[in-house]
Amino acid sequence: MRRWTSFAINITMGLLILVAFALAFFWVPPAKEFAEKYGNGHIAKIVFVHVPLAIVSFLAFIFAAGFGVAYLIKRNVRWDDISYALVEIGWLYAVLATATGAYFSKLAWGEWWSWDPRQTTMFLVLLTYTAYLLVRASIEDQERKASISAVYAILGAIASVFFYWVIPYLPTVMAVSAHPSGIIARGGLDFSYKLVLRLSFLGFLLAFVQLVRIRASILRLERQRIELALKEMEV
Amino acid sequence: MNEALPFFLAWLVTWIALMTYLWRLESKLKELEREENRNP
């Protein structure tokens, strides 16, 4: 059953990646507003990579907090495995979102990093979850590791809401930010962009689901192996 | 077409990174499952 689910996810994801790419490359026109502002309307298509990565990373951190709460209530290590897998893959997505954002920055503004408010809040997200990974790796006791990780995931999710959705949208922050989210928010991109963005989002989401499923299974098997080795040592 | 190259590169590099990681995780999972089957 697990193999079939895995196979179905891989096939659907592959199709979505191909269709979204073909539509983005051959069908979606260059964005007028981006062409006027930055000289190349085609760079708007980077939203098909950058935006899904950023949104999925945010969802990962929120769900990680949810599974953290579940662990604290039920004390079931499976919830800790899933919470940790969500943070780890969410962190990878956040790194890729930052990298694609920096690439857009280079193309549009001429520099890879300019401490734009959006770049700064994303940098804070990365710092928050890099610290999570380091803190978790430094604790040996399994129960303590899971409890501290769960509490951290909950606090991290609260901070993420501010970093992703509150601070960048404050009027004073938006006034100084060069990030093109304003163009997207007021419908500055036409229907073809909205359609391909949705397809691309689904592709990135399925890849995320697959990565988390496999990572959580690895964590479960590794834990079982350690428990078995400890039992054998006791005998 | 040349103007769309930045999008092509961003798409390609991102998916290569994700698929390489997925492939690595799948290999590790298969290895662990094989070990588990050998010592149930």
Side-chain angles (χ1 to χ4, degrees):
Chain A
M1 182 63 190
R2 198 177 61 78
R3 277 185 200 285
W4 275 108
T5 314
S6 222
F7 180 72
I9 293 176
N10 281 344
I11 291 291
T12 317
M13 178 179 70
L15 283 173
L16 280 166
I17 296 169
L18 285 177
V19 171
F21 175 76
L23 289 174
F25 201 75
F26 298 110
W27 176 60
V28 176
K32 276 186 199 141
E33 212 166 324
F34 280 70
E36 287 160 12
K37 248 181 145 173
Y38 310 120
N40 178 4
H42 285 280
I43 61 169
K45 295 178 184 178
I46 290 179
V47 299
F48 301 139
V49 189
H50 176 69
V51 173
L53 283 169
I55 294 176
V56 174
S57 69
F58 171 73
L59 293 176
F61 300 141
I62 296 299
F63 278 97
F67 280 100
V69 171
Y71 171 77
L72 291 176
I73 295 169
K74 298 275 181 191
R75 296 282 161 182
N76 181 343
V77 280
R78 277 302 286 155
W79 301 139
D80 173 58
D81 287 346
I82 298 172
S83 180
Y84 174 52
L86 281 162
V87 170
E88 197 182 278
I89 311 298
W91 180 87
L92 173 69
Y93 269 56
V95 168
L96 290 170
T98 309
T100 49
Y103 185 42
F104 178 87
S105 170
K106 173 72 179 159
L107 296 165
W109 313 320
E111 47 189 359
W112 293 94
W113 197 266
S114 52
W115 293 106
D116 183 88
R118 274 282 180 166
Q119 290 179 325
T120 310
T121 49
M122 208 56 196
F123 180 70
L124 291 173
V125 168
L126 287 178
L127 276 187
T128 305
Y129 285 97
T130 303
Y132 168 98
L133 298 173
L134 293 173
V135 166
R136 191 179 163 98
S138 67
I139 305 168
E140 281 191 13
D141 180 69
Q142 291 301 313
E143 238 182 272
R144 219 167 101 80
K145 182 190 285 231
S147 301
I148 292 174
S149 299
V151 174
Y152 196 126
I154 295 163
L155 296 175
I158 297 167
S160 293
V161 172
F162 282 88
F163 293 147
Y164 280 87
W165 301 109
V166 178
I167 298 168
Y169 290 97
L170 291 173
T172 46
V173 174
M174 281 192 87
V176 294
S177 176
H179 191 273
S181 54
I183 300 174
I184 301 164
R186 68 168 184 277
L189 295 175
D190 65 27
F191 169 75
S192 60
Y193 277 86
K194 286 170 192 158
L195 177 74
V196 177
L197 189 57
R198 284 185 178 108
L199 291 176
S200 177
F201 176 78
L202 278 178
F204 278 100
L205 186 65
L206 283 181
F208 176 80
V209 169
Q210 188 71 318
L211 285 163
V212 171
R213 285 177 74 236
I214 295 173
R215 189 69 185 102
S217 299
I218 289 173
L219 289 167
R220 177 176 54 82
L221 288 173
E222 281 179 341
R223 188 167 23 76
Q224 283 173 357
R225 203 163 66 163
I226 292 169
E227 281 166 5
L228 193 72
L230 286 172
K231 266 185 197 164
E232 278 173 7
M233 274 169 72
E234 280 170 13
V235 174
Chain B
M1 257 335 147
N2 273 350
E3 287 187 315
L5 195 65
F7 157 69
F8 174 73
L9 283 177
W11 184 273
L12 188 73
V13 172
T14 303
W15 279 109
I16 286 177
L18 288 178
M19 290 302 108
T20 307
Y21 192 50
L22 182 62
W23 174 70
R24 272 195 60 196
L25 287 183
E26 274 182 347
S27 311
K28 196 170 178 183
L29 180 62
K30 275 182 192 155
E31 195 185 307
L32 285 168
E33 282 175 342
R34 262 200 303 271
E35 274 180 34
E36 199 195 21
N37 291 338
R38 239 180 282 145
N39 317 302

